[in-house]
Amino acid sequence: MELKDFIRKIPKAELHLHIEGTFEPELMFEIAKRNGVKLKYNSVDELREAYKFGNLQDFLDIYYAGTNSLQTKQDFYDLTWSYLKKANGQNIIHTEIMFDPQAHTGRGIPFSTVIEGIKEALDDAAKEFGITSNLIMSFLRHLDERSAFETLEMSKDYKEWITAVGLDSSEVGHPPSKFKNVFAESKKEGFKICAHAGEEGPPEYVWEALEILSVDRIDHGNRSLEDEKLVEVLADKKIPLTVCPLSNVKLRNVDKIENHPIKKMLDKGLKATVNSDDPAYFGGYVNENFEAVAGALNLNENDIVTLVKNSFEASFLDKNKKDKIINGLDAFKL
Ligand code: ADE
Ligand code: ZN
């Protein structure tokens, strides 16, 4: 089997996916039109043309502007459903989806509208495609901790729908320690803990995510490689890294895909996984991310199986389900 077919066919999990980052220009125009929202761009092509980013902040400015047309529960349903159809087509059988409540509540959209639209699509995908999912509520780190606490408060009515809390948005200047208290409270509430760290920020931010937030997973984590002791601790504690290769190139954290560190991460014993981050903006969903690193770094079928197994192991699925899927992957290999 060609490696590309192997990648397509193997059942996969996705662990690092911002639902707002799946907003394809075609759907954005459709939803903007029905809500009477005027976009800054005149056409789908013009919008796509703007997707050239010098760094994370360049991207975030466009990403937040893109969310403005999302207003009703139906909009959030359509956004999520459109991703889940893609995911199903790529043989993703389990997905852990981040959403940014503050990007919506900050412009007057109720928390309930956002989460109810997303959840209904997740339930439909479970019924129609058999895709299982978990939701990760991410706090925006460029805002203050009080705003994160308000968001945590709003989420309490929907606690059983949310598996984990996360930390995303502009990294540099907003270390994990800024959110020490709200993460402690979230942990008390029973949420799993994720945080973006070491995407643009220094290894110290990964240390803080580990030691101050007590994370279960690190999102990205690339810059951990600059600190040998940190790599040792991440490997020892088996802390997964949810790595996003095409995102890293698009946001210029890696100069070209041939220099992507994911193989190095595996060689150092890190539990690296492959994910798409914001696929509508970065040129590919999970399969395209696998294909990109496989081609550029000469990965073979065993490497792909390792990465896919890592994703299921790193997921928040319960142990029985994980074991069952992982055993099935061995059979797939043959
Ligand atoms: N929000 C959406 N995508 C993100 C990324 N790659 N880093 C930080 N925040 C984000
Ligand atoms: Zn991300």
Side-chain angles (χ1 to χ4, degrees):
M1 204 188 303
E2 282 221 21
L3 196 59
K4 210 169 164 166
D5 292 325
F6 187 80
I7 289 168
R8 283 191 191 145
K9 285 186 182 155
I10 191 166
K12 291 165 289 281
E14 171 143 65
L15 306 179
H16 184 158
L17 183 278
H18 303 264
I19 199 64
E20 295 88 349
T22 68
F23 205 3
E24 292 285 352
E26 290 78 5
L27 185 61
M28 195 182 291
F29 269 85
E30 188 185 317
I31 290 181
K33 191 171 168 205
R34 79 180 179 216
N35 288 335
V37 172
K38 174 95 183 83
L39 296 176
K40 206 172 130 198
Y41 303 91
N42 290 313
S43 67
V44 163
D45 287 344
E46 230 181 74
L47 177 55
R48 270 223 173 81
E49 195 52 35
Y51 292 177
K52 298 197 174 88
F53 315 113
N55 56 31
L56 174 59
Q57 193 58 51
D58 281 358
F59 156 68
L60 289 170
D61 292 342
I62 289 199
Y63 165 91
Y64 292 124
T67 63
N68 284 334
S69 47
L70 295 165
Q71 298 186 350
T72 66
K73 182 176 157 188
Q74 185 68 46
D75 300 340
F76 287 93
Y77 178 94
D78 290 349
L79 175 70
T80 309
W81 182 248
S82 145
Y83 161 69
L84 290 163
K85 273 197 296 190
K86 280 248 171 52
N88 184 50
Q90 293 213 342
N91 252 323
I92 291 172
I93 61 166
H94 177 71
T95 180
E96 304 197 340
I97 294 181
M98 284 179 245
F99 71 117
D100 287 337
Q102 290 150 294
H104 314 297
T105 54
R107 48 188 184 86
I109 310 296
F111 187 94
S112 55
T113 300
V114 179
I115 196 165
E116 286 174 12
I118 295 172
K119 174 72 166 134
E120 199 171 308
L122 295 177
D123 288 347
D124 283 353
K127 275 183 245 147
E128 191 156 326
F129 307 135
I131 292 182
T132 56
S133 60
N134 285 316
L135 260 184
I136 303 168
M137 175 174 77
S138 289
F139 301 124
L140 299 183
R141 69 202 306 160
H142 66 275
L143 301 178
D144 58 20
E145 193 181 39
R146 194 171 47 96
S147 174
F149 264 113
E150 285 165 7
T151 306
L152 181 61
E153 198 52 42
M154 286 178 213
S155 76
K156 287 191 176 161
D157 288 343
Y158 297 95
K159 210 175 140 184
E160 68 280 14
W161 290 359
I162 302 169
T163 302
V165 296
L167 185 65
D168 63 2
S169 196
S170 321
E171 187 179 7
V172 174
H174 304 285
S177 50
K178 182 178 160 187
F179 296 92
K180 178 177 183 222
N181 300 305
V182 75
F183 273 85
E185 180 70 21
S186 302
K187 209 170 181 81
K188 249 194 244 160
E189 289 288 333
F191 293 117
K192 300 274 190 193
I193 308 289
C194 304
H196 283 54
E199 180 185 18
E200 280 190 349
E204 288 71 31
Y205 285 20
V206 182
W207 280 114
E208 285 193 7
L210 267 180
E211 294 181 337
I212 299 178
L213 306 190
S214 304
V215 288
D216 295 288
R217 291 200 303 242
I218 296 282
D219 293 316
H220 297 292
N222 297 33
R223 290 194 59 192
S224 308
L225 293 174
E226 295 168 25
D227 181 336
E228 256 177 56
K229 179 72 195 155
L230 177 57
V231 169
E232 215 176 276
V233 171
L234 289 169
D236 266 10
K237 294 191 164 174
K238 298 190 169 58
I239 300 289
L241 305 184
T242 64
V243 180
C244 307
L246 291 175
S247 163
N248 296 149
V249 175
K250 281 278 181 185
L251 301 185
R252 308 195 191 198
N253 297 312
V254 171
D255 64 347
K256 54 181 176 178
I257 195 74
E258 288 74 15
N259 289 335
H260 196 279
I262 197 157
K263 184 76 171 73
K264 207 177 286 167
M265 289 169 169
L266 292 179
D267 292 344
K268 286 179 183 286
L270 293 170
K271 200 175 268 305
T273 65
V274 172
N275 308 273
S276 69
D277 206 5
D278 301 284
Y281 294 91
F282 300 150
Y285 287 73
V286 158
N287 285 352
E288 290 79 19
N289 274 273
F290 270 105
E291 283 164 19
V293 284
L297 308 175
N298 268 320
L299 304 187
N300 58 30
E301 285 190 11
N302 282 329
D303 297 319
I304 304 299
V305 172
T306 300
L307 286 163
V308 170
K309 275 191 182 173
N310 283 354
S311 295
F312 285 108
E313 273 165 15
S315 75
F316 297 133
L317 283 166
D318 66 49
K319 184 160 184 325
N320 278 347
K321 189 125 200 238
K322 275 186 198 181
D323 289 349
K324 219 166 132 194
I325 295 170
I326 290 167
N327 288 338
L329 289 175
D330 283 331
F332 182 86
K333 213 168 110 186
L334 302 169

